[in-house]
Amino acid sequence: MAASTFEATDSNLLKQLKLMRKIKLADYLSLKAINALTILTFSLLSITTSAQIAPPSQKNLFGVGTGVQLTSKFGISPVFNFSYERILTKHSSIESGLRYSNYKYGYGYFTENKYSNIDLRYHTFTLPLLYKYNSKILYFAAGPVLSVMNRKRQFDPMSMEMQTIELPFGKLRPGAQFKIGKTINLSEKLVLEPEASVIETRYFKKPQAELNLNFKYRF
């Protein structure tokens, strides 16, 4: 009886020791897993943070972009731009550049029992000077603009042009622009910025809405 009792006791002790080893091993593995997940999480956060903030030495961005503009009576017109951005602080910068847009307007009329078509082309150059605030999600930019619009043909008072454009052409006119967009870091140097904008050039009787896609290079 005594021998069998000791054997049972030893067997129970061995089972308890094995169980304790398993618990310690599980705890150890769990701790390792937690540490690994913690390191991975902080690494990802570090990578994300560094990707969202430009290095201190790279405070200049040069960009090119294209988009479309919706103008009353003229419909959808293409827009092209060159931009330069100077980073001032972590969240603020100044942006300028040169924008070009052209509009096509056509109408028909009768002269001496003959129907004729006239297609007018308007060329607009705009120089913006915008203050830009960069948050973690979106950026906002606003500021004054200077614009000049030209076209070759003479004005026809019978056309619908009077309902859309403020004359005369060929003069610098002040205006304003507001835009909202998202900064997407494609790499350490290359940035993609989709944005929506509203611009008032004083050549049109109503503000124009825009959708643009800009590519910028940090240097």
Side-chain angles (χ1 to χ4, degrees):
M1 289 291 296
S4 61
T5 303
F6 281 119
E7 289 178 357
T9 304
D10 291 342
S11 177
N12 289 332
L13 287 174
L14 288 174
K15 288 181 180 179
Q16 290 179 2
L17 288 173
K18 289 180 180 180
L19 181 61
M20 291 178 64
R21 287 176 182 176
K22 288 182 179 179
I23 293 173
K24 289 183 179 181
L25 180 60
D27 291 340
Y28 178 77
L29 292 176
S30 298
L31 184 61
K32 281 292 185 180
I34 292 172
N35 290 336
L37 287 175
T38 303
I39 294 172
L40 179 61
T41 301
F42 278 103
S43 299
L44 290 174
L45 288 174
S46 176
I47 292 171
T48 304
T49 304
S50 63
Q52 294 297 324
I53 303 172
S57 61
Q58 298 178 352
K59 295 186 177 182
N60 302 285
L61 294 94
F62 176 78
V64 294
T66 185
V68 292
Q69 185 180 98
L70 179 62
T71 307
S72 176
K73 305 293 183 181
F74 286 88
I76 297 176
S77 303
V79 179
F80 306 94
N81 71 79
F82 296 95
S83 63
Y84 169 74
E85 181 178 349
R86 172 68 179 181
I87 297 177
L88 303 178
T89 65
K90 179 181 178 180
H91 294 290
S92 64
S93 59
I94 295 293
E95 185 177 88
S96 187
L98 182 64
R99 302 172 62 258
Y100 167 75
S101 55
N102 68 78
Y103 316 94
K104 183 179 179 181
Y105 176 68
Y107 64 94
Y109 65 97
F110 282 97
T111 55
E112 299 179 355
N113 297 325
K114 182 182 179 182
Y115 182 79
S116 301
N117 285 319
I118 290 183
D119 289 327
L120 302 177
R121 282 283 185 178
Y122 304 84
H123 304 279
T124 305
F125 295 90
T126 304
L127 179 67
L129 182 60
L130 309 176
Y131 170 79
K132 186 174 179 182
Y133 177 81
N134 299 274
S135 69
K136 292 182 178 180
I137 302 174
L138 299 172
Y139 65 77
F140 307 87
V145 300
L146 280 177
S147 299
V148 60
M149 177 187 284
N150 286 292
R151 69 169 171 79
K152 293 182 179 180
R153 292 182 179 272
Q154 296 297 317
F155 172 67
D156 182 359
M158 299 300 294
S159 73
M160 297 293 290
E161 189 178 33
M162 290 184 65
Q163 300 181 16
T164 303
I165 296 180
E166 298 280 2
L167 302 179
F169 296 107
K171 291 186 177 181
L172 277 176
R173 294 199 171 192
Q177 183 179 8
F178 171 79
K179 64 181 183 178
I180 180 173
K182 171 71 174 177
T183 299
I184 302 172
N185 294 290
L186 301 179
S187 67
E188 185 179 352
K189 297 285 187 178
L190 191 60
V191 177
L192 176 66
E193 290 186 349
E195 63 183 25
S197 173
V198 176
I199 183 169
E200 170 59 67
T201 62
R202 301 287 298 277
Y203 271 104
F204 292 93
K205 294 183 178 181
K206 295 181 180 180
Q208 305 93 58
E210 287 187 7
L211 292 175
N212 292 293
L213 190 63
N214 304 312
F215 290 90
K216 292 185 176 180
Y217 180 80
R218 287 195 182 101
F219 63 97

